[in-house]
Amino acid sequence: QVELVESGGGSVQAGGSLKLSCSASGVNFADTMAWFRQAPGLEREAVADICTGTGSTYYADSVKGRFTISSNVAENMLYLQMNSLKPEDTAIYYCATSTTQCRDAYPMTETLFESWGQGTQVTVSS
């Protein structure tokens, strides 16, 4: 049974930083891992994804240059370093894994991800 558990969320002021972690257990193979987020009243959107084999990454334009996605395949961990946070980054952040083959990262739709975490809240105040 696959279980993804996010941690590291919290409340920060604009300009601050947070690092999210996702621990994946029961995952035998995840070629792609990703972070999504959902703000109140909005649809869930892709934030970043990473091809675990090649290290290739994709970032949404809204976070490019501020967020960094990384993974530790040996430890089945996924991370999201978030710097220069803005109030519009406020959302529930979810990690997800996919067995879809990935060499060069691209904005994968959430339907391609088989496993999801329960989410962690990030709140950025102005």
mmCIF file of all heavy atoms in Angstrom, residues 12-59:
data_model
loop_
_atom_site.group_PDB
_atom_site.id
_atom_site.type_symbol
_atom_site.label_atom_id
_atom_site.label_comp_id
_atom_site.label_asym_id
_atom_site.label_seq_id
_atom_site.Cartn_x
_atom_site.Cartn_y
_atom_site.Cartn_z
ATOM 1 N N VAL A 12 3.965 31.704 7.543
ATOM 2 C CA VAL A 12 5.125 32.587 7.461
ATOM 3 C C VAL A 12 4.688 33.931 6.903
ATOM 4 O O VAL A 12 3.624 34.050 6.300
ATOM 5 C CB VAL A 12 6.238 32.009 6.563
ATOM 6 C CG1 VAL A 12 6.815 30.747 7.153
ATOM 7 C CG2 VAL A 12 5.730 31.768 5.154
ATOM 8 N N GLN A 13 5.516 34.923 7.093
ATOM 9 C CA GLN A 13 5.265 36.222 6.494
ATOM 10 C C GLN A 13 5.815 36.257 5.071
ATOM 11 O O GLN A 13 6.707 35.472 4.715
ATOM 12 C CB GLN A 13 5.913 37.317 7.340
ATOM 13 C CG GLN A 13 5.230 37.530 8.684
ATOM 14 C CD GLN A 13 5.726 38.789 9.378
ATOM 15 O OE1 GLN A 13 6.880 39.174 9.250
ATOM 16 N NE2 GLN A 13 4.841 39.419 10.129
ATOM 17 N N ALA A 14 5.267 37.141 4.284
ATOM 18 C CA ALA A 14 5.741 37.306 2.907
ATOM 19 C C ALA A 14 7.245 37.556 2.907
ATOM 20 O O ALA A 14 7.767 38.287 3.744
ATOM 21 C CB ALA A 14 5.013 38.466 2.244
ATOM 22 N N GLY A 15 7.911 36.900 1.973
ATOM 23 C CA GLY A 15 9.360 36.992 1.889
ATOM 24 C C GLY A 15 10.086 35.877 2.617
ATOM 25 O O GLY A 15 11.301 35.713 2.445
ATOM 26 N N GLY A 16 9.339 35.136 3.430
ATOM 27 C CA GLY A 16 9.942 34.064 4.194
ATOM 28 C C GLY A 16 10.120 32.789 3.382
ATOM 29 O O GLY A 16 9.829 32.736 2.188
ATOM 30 N N SER A 17 10.600 31.756 4.064
ATOM 31 C CA SER A 17 10.890 30.471 3.418
ATOM 32 C C SER A 17 10.299 29.314 4.209
ATOM 33 O O SER A 17 10.126 29.403 5.424
ATOM 34 C CB SER A 17 12.404 30.257 3.312
ATOM 35 O OG SER A 17 13.022 31.256 2.517
ATOM 36 N N LEU A 18 9.984 28.258 3.500
ATOM 37 C CA LEU A 18 9.566 26.997 4.088
ATOM 38 C C LEU A 18 10.123 25.876 3.230
ATOM 39 O O LEU A 18 10.313 26.041 2.022
ATOM 40 C CB LEU A 18 8.037 26.875 4.133
ATOM 41 C CG LEU A 18 7.267 27.638 5.200
ATOM 42 C CD1 LEU A 18 5.762 27.498 4.954
ATOM 43 C CD2 LEU A 18 7.619 27.146 6.592
ATOM 44 N N LYS A 19 10.359 24.731 3.863
ATOM 45 C CA LYS A 19 10.768 23.544 3.110
ATOM 46 C C LYS A 19 9.785 22.418 3.400
ATOM 47 O O LYS A 19 9.628 21.996 4.553
ATOM 48 C CB LYS A 19 12.187 23.098 3.462
ATOM 49 C CG LYS A 19 12.668 21.930 2.609
ATOM 50 C CD LYS A 19 14.127 21.599 2.881
ATOM 51 C CE LYS A 19 14.625 20.486 1.959
ATOM 52 N NZ LYS A 19 16.068 20.190 2.150
ATOM 53 N N LEU A 20 9.112 21.971 2.360
ATOM 54 C CA LEU A 20 8.175 20.867 2.482
ATOM 55 C C LEU A 20 8.898 19.551 2.215
ATOM 56 O O LEU A 20 9.808 19.488 1.380
ATOM 57 C CB LEU A 20 7.024 21.016 1.498
ATOM 58 C CG LEU A 20 6.222 22.314 1.561
ATOM 59 C CD1 LEU A 20 5.053 22.251 0.568
ATOM 60 C CD2 LEU A 20 5.734 22.588 2.961
ATOM 61 N N SER A 21 8.492 18.519 2.924
ATOM 62 C CA SER A 21 9.030 17.179 2.721
ATOM 63 C C SER A 21 7.882 16.221 2.464
ATOM 64 O O SER A 21 6.770 16.423 2.966
ATOM 65 C CB SER A 21 9.814 16.710 3.945
ATOM 66 O OG SER A 21 10.909 17.558 4.216
ATOM 67 N N CYS A 22 8.148 15.186 1.697
ATOM 68 C CA CYS A 22 7.156 14.142 1.439
ATOM 69 C C CYS A 22 7.859 12.804 1.567
ATOM 70 O O CYS A 22 8.823 12.520 0.847
ATOM 71 C CB CYS A 22 6.555 14.313 0.060
ATOM 72 S SG CYS A 22 5.440 12.974 -0.435
ATOM 73 N N SER A 23 7.377 11.998 2.488
ATOM 74 C CA SER A 23 7.916 10.661 2.683
ATOM 75 C C SER A 23 7.014 9.661 1.974
ATOM 76 O O SER A 23 5.805 9.638 2.200
ATOM 77 C CB SER A 23 7.967 10.345 4.180
ATOM 78 O OG SER A 23 8.345 9.007 4.393
ATOM 79 N N ALA A 24 7.601 8.857 1.107
ATOM 80 C CA ALA A 24 6.843 7.887 0.324
ATOM 81 C C ALA A 24 7.183 6.484 0.794
ATOM 82 O O ALA A 24 8.338 6.085 0.757
ATOM 83 C CB ALA A 24 7.156 8.043 -1.155
ATOM 84 N N SER A 25 6.173 5.750 1.232
ATOM 85 C CA SER A 25 6.380 4.357 1.618
ATOM 86 C C SER A 25 5.511 3.473 0.739
ATOM 87 O O SER A 25 4.452 3.888 0.273
ATOM 88 C CB SER A 25 6.038 4.142 3.092
ATOM 89 O OG SER A 25 4.687 4.457 3.328
ATOM 90 N N GLY A 26 5.981 2.244 0.522
ATOM 91 C CA GLY A 26 5.224 1.324 -0.306
ATOM 92 C C GLY A 26 5.296 1.633 -1.788
ATOM 93 O O GLY A 26 4.549 1.084 -2.590
ATOM 94 N N VAL A 27 6.204 2.537 -2.166
ATOM 95 C CA VAL A 27 6.362 2.903 -3.574
ATOM 96 C C VAL A 27 7.515 2.113 -4.151
ATOM 97 O O VAL A 27 8.659 2.297 -3.738
ATOM 98 C CB VAL A 27 6.631 4.412 -3.727
ATOM 99 C CG1 VAL A 27 6.855 4.751 -5.195
ATOM 100 C CG2 VAL A 27 5.480 5.212 -3.166
ATOM 101 N N ASN A 28 7.218 1.217 -5.085
ATOM 102 C CA ASN A 28 8.286 0.418 -5.690
ATOM 103 C C ASN A 28 8.973 1.166 -6.829
ATOM 104 O O ASN A 28 10.153 1.012 -7.059
ATOM 105 C CB ASN A 28 7.713 -0.890 -6.225
ATOM 106 C CG ASN A 28 7.256 -1.802 -5.100
ATOM 107 O OD1 ASN A 28 7.890 -1.861 -4.051
ATOM 108 N ND2 ASN A 28 6.161 -2.501 -5.311
ATOM 109 N N PHE A 29 8.213 1.967 -7.517
ATOM 110 C CA PHE A 29 8.775 2.672 -8.658
ATOM 111 C C PHE A 29 7.976 3.934 -8.902
ATOM 112 O O PHE A 29 6.769 3.895 -9.057
ATOM 113 C CB PHE A 29 8.726 1.788 -9.911
ATOM 114 C CG PHE A 29 9.207 2.486 -11.152
ATOM 115 C CD1 PHE A 29 10.550 2.722 -11.350
ATOM 116 C CD2 PHE A 29 8.311 2.919 -12.111
ATOM 117 C CE1 PHE A 29 11.005 3.366 -12.487
ATOM 118 C CE2 PHE A 29 8.757 3.565 -13.252
ATOM 119 C CZ PHE A 29 10.106 3.790 -13.443
ATOM 120 N N ALA A 30 8.643 5.048 -8.882
ATOM 121 C CA ALA A 30 7.991 6.327 -9.165
ATOM 122 C C ALA A 30 8.920 7.109 -10.065
ATOM 123 O O ALA A 30 9.875 7.719 -9.586
ATOM 124 C CB ALA A 30 7.693 7.092 -7.888
ATOM 125 N N ASP A 31 8.653 7.071 -11.358
ATOM 126 C CA ASP A 31 9.530 7.761 -12.289
ATOM 127 C C ASP A 31 9.376 9.266 -12.199
ATOM 128 O O ASP A 31 10.296 10.005 -12.530
ATOM 129 C CB ASP A 31 9.249 7.301 -13.727
ATOM 130 C CG ASP A 31 10.457 7.438 -14.609
ATOM 131 O OD1 ASP A 31 11.544 6.978 -14.182
ATOM 132 O OD2 ASP A 31 10.350 8.000 -15.704
ATOM 133 N N THR A 32 8.195 9.704 -11.770
ATOM 134 C CA THR A 32 7.945 11.130 -11.640
ATOM 135 C C THR A 32 7.326 11.414 -10.278
ATOM 136 O O THR A 32 6.440 10.691 -9.842
ATOM 137 C CB THR A 32 6.967 11.633 -12.726
ATOM 138 O OG1 THR A 32 7.419 11.215 -14.007
ATOM 139 C CG2 THR A 32 6.857 13.147 -12.686
ATOM 140 N N MET A 33 7.830 12.456 -9.631
ATOM 141 C CA MET A 33 7.238 12.920 -8.384
ATOM 142 C C MET A 33 6.944 14.405 -8.536
ATOM 143 O O MET A 33 7.656 15.110 -9.265
ATOM 144 C CB MET A 33 8.172 12.669 -7.200
ATOM 145 C CG MET A 33 8.530 11.189 -7.022
ATOM 146 S SD MET A 33 9.568 10.866 -5.592
ATOM 147 C CE MET A 33 8.354 10.965 -4.257
ATOM 148 N N ALA A 34 5.917 14.857 -7.861
ATOM 149 C CA ALA A 34 5.487 16.230 -8.100
ATOM 150 C C ALA A 34 4.868 16.848 -6.862
ATOM 151 O O ALA A 34 4.458 16.152 -5.930
ATOM 152 C CB ALA A 34 4.472 16.260 -9.243
ATOM 153 N N TRP A 35 4.805 18.163 -6.878
ATOM 154 C CA TRP A 35 4.064 18.939 -5.902
ATOM 155 C C TRP A 35 2.935 19.671 -6.634
ATOM 156 O O TRP A 35 3.160 20.282 -7.683
ATOM 157 C CB TRP A 35 4.955 19.961 -5.212
ATOM 158 C CG TRP A 35 5.938 19.364 -4.280
ATOM 159 C CD1 TRP A 35 7.248 19.062 -4.529
ATOM 160 C CD2 TRP A 35 5.697 18.961 -2.920
ATOM 161 N NE1 TRP A 35 7.832 18.505 -3.415
ATOM 162 C CE2 TRP A 35 6.905 18.434 -2.408
ATOM 163 C CE3 TRP A 35 4.582 19.006 -2.077
ATOM 164 C CZ2 TRP A 35 7.022 17.951 -1.103
ATOM 165 C CZ3 TRP A 35 4.705 18.540 -0.794
ATOM 166 C CH2 TRP A 35 5.909 18.007 -0.312
ATOM 167 N N PHE A 36 1.745 19.581 -6.064
ATOM 168 C CA PHE A 36 0.588 20.332 -6.514
ATOM 169 C C PHE A 36 0.123 21.203 -5.347
ATOM 170 O O PHE A 36 0.511 20.962 -4.192
ATOM 171 C CB PHE A 36 -0.549 19.390 -6.930
ATOM 172 C CG PHE A 36 -0.318 18.661 -8.221
ATOM 173 C CD1 PHE A 36 0.523 17.550 -8.273
ATOM 174 C CD2 PHE A 36 -0.945 19.062 -9.385
ATOM 175 C CE1 PHE A 36 0.739 16.871 -9.468
ATOM 176 C CE2 PHE A 36 -0.739 18.390 -10.585
ATOM 177 C CZ PHE A 36 0.101 17.290 -10.618
ATOM 178 N N ARG A 37 -0.718 22.170 -5.641
ATOM 179 C CA ARG A 37 -1.301 22.967 -4.561
ATOM 180 C C ARG A 37 -2.727 23.370 -4.938
ATOM 181 O O ARG A 37 -3.076 23.442 -6.106
ATOM 182 C CB ARG A 37 -0.467 24.215 -4.275
ATOM 183 C CG ARG A 37 -0.458 25.271 -5.377
ATOM 184 C CD ARG A 37 0.494 26.403 -5.030
ATOM 185 N NE ARG A 37 0.508 27.446 -6.048
ATOM 186 C CZ ARG A 37 1.343 28.485 -6.049
ATOM 187 N NH1 ARG A 37 2.242 28.618 -5.063
ATOM 188 N NH2 ARG A 37 1.286 29.391 -7.013
ATOM 189 N N GLN A 38 -3.514 23.603 -3.898
ATOM 190 C CA GLN A 38 -4.889 24.029 -4.102
ATOM 191 C C GLN A 38 -5.223 25.129 -3.116
ATOM 192 O O GLN A 38 -5.188 24.914 -1.898
ATOM 193 C CB GLN A 38 -5.867 22.863 -3.942
ATOM 194 C CG GLN A 38 -7.292 23.227 -4.296
ATOM 195 C CD GLN A 38 -8.182 22.014 -4.432
ATOM 196 O OE1 GLN A 38 -7.911 20.937 -3.894
ATOM 197 N NE2 GLN A 38 -9.269 22.154 -5.176
ATOM 198 N N ALA A 39 -5.529 26.298 -3.652
ATOM 199 C CA ALA A 39 -5.937 27.433 -2.840
ATOM 200 C C ALA A 39 -7.454 27.414 -2.683
ATOM 201 O O ALA A 39 -8.154 26.836 -3.522
ATOM 202 C CB ALA A 39 -5.483 28.733 -3.483
ATOM 203 N N PRO A 40 -7.981 28.040 -1.656
ATOM 204 C CA PRO A 40 -9.437 28.046 -1.441
ATOM 205 C C PRO A 40 -10.181 28.583 -2.647
ATOM 206 O O PRO A 40 -9.839 29.641 -3.181
ATOM 207 C CB PRO A 40 -9.600 28.970 -0.235
ATOM 208 C CG PRO A 40 -8.309 28.886 0.496
ATOM 209 C CD PRO A 40 -7.258 28.735 -0.583
ATOM 210 N N GLY A 41 -11.175 27.818 -3.093
ATOM 211 C CA GLY A 41 -12.001 28.254 -4.201
ATOM 212 C C GLY A 41 -11.393 28.068 -5.568
ATOM 213 O O GLY A 41 -12.027 28.398 -6.583
ATOM 214 N N LEU A 42 -10.179 27.518 -5.616
ATOM 215 C CA LEU A 42 -9.509 27.333 -6.897
ATOM 216 C C LEU A 42 -9.246 25.861 -7.157
ATOM 217 O O LEU A 42 -9.282 25.037 -6.238
ATOM 218 C CB LEU A 42 -8.192 28.104 -6.930
ATOM 219 C CG LEU A 42 -8.275 29.622 -6.773
ATOM 220 C CD1 LEU A 42 -6.879 30.233 -6.797
ATOM 221 C CD2 LEU A 42 -9.156 30.234 -7.855
ATOM 222 N N GLU A 43 -8.976 25.534 -8.418
ATOM 223 C CA GLU A 43 -8.641 24.159 -8.763
ATOM 224 C C GLU A 43 -7.200 23.847 -8.351
ATOM 225 O O GLU A 43 -6.370 24.739 -8.230
ATOM 226 C CB GLU A 43 -8.817 23.944 -10.264
ATOM 227 C CG GLU A 43 -10.256 24.035 -10.745
ATOM 228 C CD GLU A 43 -10.398 23.695 -12.209
ATOM 229 O OE1 GLU A 43 -9.373 23.540 -12.896
ATOM 230 O OE2 GLU A 43 -11.540 23.585 -12.675
ATOM 231 N N ARG A 44 -6.958 22.574 -8.158
ATOM 232 C CA ARG A 44 -5.597 22.145 -7.832
ATOM 233 C C ARG A 44 -4.705 22.393 -9.049
ATOM 234 O O ARG A 44 -5.116 22.148 -10.190
ATOM 235 C CB ARG A 44 -5.591 20.670 -7.434
ATOM 236 C CG ARG A 44 -4.266 20.197 -6.877
ATOM 237 C CD ARG A 44 -4.430 18.955 -6.013
ATOM 238 N NE ARG A 44 -5.091 17.865 -6.695
ATOM 239 C CZ ARG A 44 -5.419 16.720 -6.104
ATOM 240 N NH1 ARG A 44 -5.172 16.544 -4.825
ATOM 241 N NH2 ARG A 44 -6.011 15.770 -6.794
ATOM 242 N N GLU A 45 -3.496 22.894 -8.807
ATOM 243 C CA GLU A 45 -2.586 23.208 -9.898
ATOM 244 C C GLU A 45 -1.216 22.602 -9.633
ATOM 245 O O GLU A 45 -0.812 22.416 -8.485
ATOM 246 C CB GLU A 45 -2.445 24.727 -10.056
ATOM 247 C CG GLU A 45 -1.832 25.437 -8.864
ATOM 248 C CD GLU A 45 -1.596 26.904 -9.107
ATOM 249 O OE1 GLU A 45 -1.858 27.407 -10.223
ATOM 250 O OE2 GLU A 45 -1.118 27.568 -8.161
ATOM 251 N N ALA A 46 -0.512 22.314 -10.730
ATOM 252 C CA ALA A 46 0.838 21.788 -10.623
ATOM 253 C C ALA A 46 1.798 22.894 -10.222
ATOM 254 O O ALA A 46 1.721 24.005 -10.746
ATOM 255 C CB ALA A 46 1.260 21.173 -11.943
ATOM 256 N N VAL A 47 2.683 22.577 -9.302
ATOM 257 C CA VAL A 47 3.702 23.520 -8.860
ATOM 258 C C VAL A 47 5.047 23.164 -9.477
ATOM 259 O O VAL A 47 5.726 24.007 -10.072
ATOM 260 C CB VAL A 47 3.817 23.519 -7.324
ATOM 261 C CG1 VAL A 47 4.963 24.416 -6.870
ATOM 262 C CG2 VAL A 47 2.503 23.949 -6.687
ATOM 263 N N ALA A 48 5.436 21.910 -9.336
ATOM 264 C CA ALA A 48 6.720 21.456 -9.856
ATOM 265 C C ALA A 48 6.715 19.949 -9.938
ATOM 266 O O ALA A 48 6.027 19.287 -9.159
ATOM 267 C CB ALA A 48 7.864 21.925 -8.960
ATOM 268 N N ASP A 49 7.469 19.395 -10.870
ATOM 269 C CA ASP A 49 7.667 17.953 -10.886
ATOM 270 C C ASP A 49 9.098 17.627 -11.268
ATOM 271 O O ASP A 49 9.827 18.467 -11.792
ATOM 272 C CB ASP A 49 6.647 17.216 -11.780
ATOM 273 C CG ASP A 49 6.683 17.618 -13.235
ATOM 274 O OD1 ASP A 49 7.757 17.490 -13.862
ATOM 275 O OD2 ASP A 49 5.624 18.047 -13.760
ATOM 276 N N ILE A 50 9.485 16.404 -10.952
ATOM 277 C CA ILE A 50 10.866 15.987 -11.173
ATOM 278 C C ILE A 50 10.890 14.563 -11.704
ATOM 279 O O ILE A 50 10.152 13.699 -11.234
ATOM 280 C CB ILE A 50 11.697 16.105 -9.863
ATOM 281 C CG1 ILE A 50 13.161 15.735 -10.106
ATOM 282 C CG2 ILE A 50 11.101 15.251 -8.742
ATOM 283 C CD1 ILE A 50 14.075 16.104 -8.945
ATOM 284 N N CYS A 51 11.721 14.323 -12.727
ATOM 285 C CA CYS A 51 11.974 12.975 -13.219
ATOM 286 C C CYS A 51 13.042 12.393 -12.302
ATOM 287 O O CYS A 51 14.187 12.847 -12.312
ATOM 288 C CB CYS A 51 12.474 13.010 -14.659
ATOM 289 S SG CYS A 51 11.377 13.837 -15.816
ATOM 290 N N THR A 52 12.683 11.389 -11.528
ATOM 291 C CA THR A 52 13.593 10.903 -10.496
ATOM 292 C C THR A 52 14.840 10.247 -11.075
ATOM 293 O O THR A 52 15.872 10.212 -10.425
ATOM 294 C CB THR A 52 12.883 9.912 -9.568
ATOM 295 O OG1 THR A 52 12.346 8.843 -10.362
ATOM 296 C CG2 THR A 52 11.759 10.593 -8.816
ATOM 297 N N GLY A 53 14.745 9.732 -12.281
ATOM 298 C CA GLY A 53 15.902 9.083 -12.882
ATOM 299 C C GLY A 53 16.916 10.062 -13.468
ATOM 300 O O GLY A 53 18.126 9.859 -13.337
ATOM 301 N N THR A 54 16.424 11.120 -14.089
ATOM 302 C CA THR A 54 17.313 12.069 -14.761
ATOM 303 C C THR A 54 17.544 13.346 -13.957
ATOM 304 O O THR A 54 18.493 14.072 -14.229
ATOM 305 C CB THR A 54 16.748 12.461 -16.122
ATOM 306 O OG1 THR A 54 15.518 13.176 -15.934
ATOM 307 C CG2 THR A 54 16.493 11.232 -16.979
ATOM 308 N N GLY A 55 16.651 13.621 -13.010
ATOM 309 C CA GLY A 55 16.753 14.861 -12.252
ATOM 310 C C GLY A 55 16.181 16.064 -12.972
ATOM 311 O O GLY A 55 16.229 17.184 -12.458
ATOM 312 N N SER A 56 15.607 15.841 -14.141
ATOM 313 C CA SER A 56 14.996 16.939 -14.882
ATOM 314 C C SER A 56 13.806 17.490 -14.107
ATOM 315 O O SER A 56 13.056 16.731 -13.495
ATOM 316 C CB SER A 56 14.548 16.444 -16.253
ATOM 317 O OG SER A 56 13.915 17.474 -16.990
ATOM 318 N N THR A 57 13.643 18.809 -14.120
ATOM 319 C CA THR A 57 12.589 19.438 -13.343
ATOM 320 C C THR A 57 11.730 20.364 -14.197
ATOM 321 O O THR A 57 12.171 20.876 -15.224
ATOM 322 C CB THR A 57 13.166 20.251 -12.175
ATOM 323 O OG1 THR A 57 14.086 21.223 -12.703
ATOM 324 C CG2 THR A 57 13.896 19.359 -11.179
ATOM 325 N N TYR A 58 10.496 20.529 -13.734
ATOM 326 C CA TYR A 58 9.562 21.483 -14.341
ATOM 327 C C TYR A 58 9.007 22.353 -13.221
ATOM 328 O O TYR A 58 8.736 21.862 -12.125
ATOM 329 C CB TYR A 58 8.411 20.758 -15.041
ATOM 330 C CG TYR A 58 7.185 21.638 -15.186
ATOM 331 C CD1 TYR A 58 7.106 22.578 -16.192
ATOM 332 C CD2 TYR A 58 6.150 21.550 -14.256
ATOM 333 C CE1 TYR A 58 6.006 23.420 -16.296
ATOM 334 C CE2 TYR A 58 5.045 22.388 -14.348
ATOM 335 C CZ TYR A 58 4.980 23.318 -15.377
ATOM 336 O OH TYR A 58 3.894 24.152 -15.461
ATOM 337 N N TYR A 59 8.841 23.645 -13.515
ATOM 338 C CA TYR A 59 8.237 24.561 -12.553
ATOM 339 C C TYR A 59 7.144 25.376 -13.231
ATOM 340 O O TYR A 59 7.300 25.810 -14.374
ATOM 341 C CB TYR A 59 9.278 25.533 -11.992
ATOM 342 C CG TYR A 59 10.359 24.875 -11.173
ATOM 343 C CD1 TYR A 59 11.569 24.501 -11.747
ATOM 344 C CD2 TYR A 59 10.162 24.618 -9.822
ATOM 345 C CE1 TYR A 59 12.563 23.889 -10.995
ATOM 346 C CE2 TYR A 59 11.147 24.004 -9.064
ATOM 347 C CZ TYR A 59 12.342 23.641 -9.660
ATOM 348 O OH TYR A 59 13.316 23.027 -8.914
#
